[in-house]
Amino acid sequence: MVFDKDVAAIDECDFIVMISDGRLSSAGTNWEQGYAYAKDKPIFVFQWADCDTSLMTYCGCTRFLNLRDFAGATNYIAEFPYETYIRRKNRSYNP
């Protein structure tokens, strides 16, 4: 079953990379983020659309990057800002 394989993959991974199209991400993607958060996995969200995001998505991740964060970037991988994993339980909303 797809659900069981999805859960097993999240259990086995070291971190999650979530590709988001903004406030209206899919229910499956949102569930995966919530499950990974509950498992204390680092969650990196890259929002490719320059629009509002969900407060739950933003506050439930380790690092959030919006398309506007890469304005002028030529190599997205090399220029991805590395941040040490720190779970921030009381993040303020400032995308």
Side-chain angles (χ1 to χ4, degrees), residues 30-69:
N30 292 335
W31 186 90
E32 291 163 348
Q33 182 190 9
Y35 183 74
Y37 181 88
K39 292 292 203 169
D40 204 31
K41 303 279 184 172
I43 303 164
F44 301 92
V45 177
F46 177 72
Q47 182 173 297
W48 62 268
D50 189 9
C51 62
D52 291 338
T53 193
S54 163
L55 183 60
M56 299 302 281
T57 298
Y58 182 78
C59 291
C61 70
T62 307
R63 183 75 167 105
F64 178 88
L65 293 169
N66 194 300
L67 179 66
R68 70 177 80 101
D69 295 328

Side-chain angles (χ1 to χ4, degrees), residues 9-29:
I10 294 171
D11 287 341
E12 294 173 14
C13 76
D14 294 322
F15 61 90
I16 297 287
V17 176
M18 179 178 161
I19 309 296
S20 173
D21 60 354
R23 189 161 181 77
L24 302 176
S25 295
S26 76
T29 303

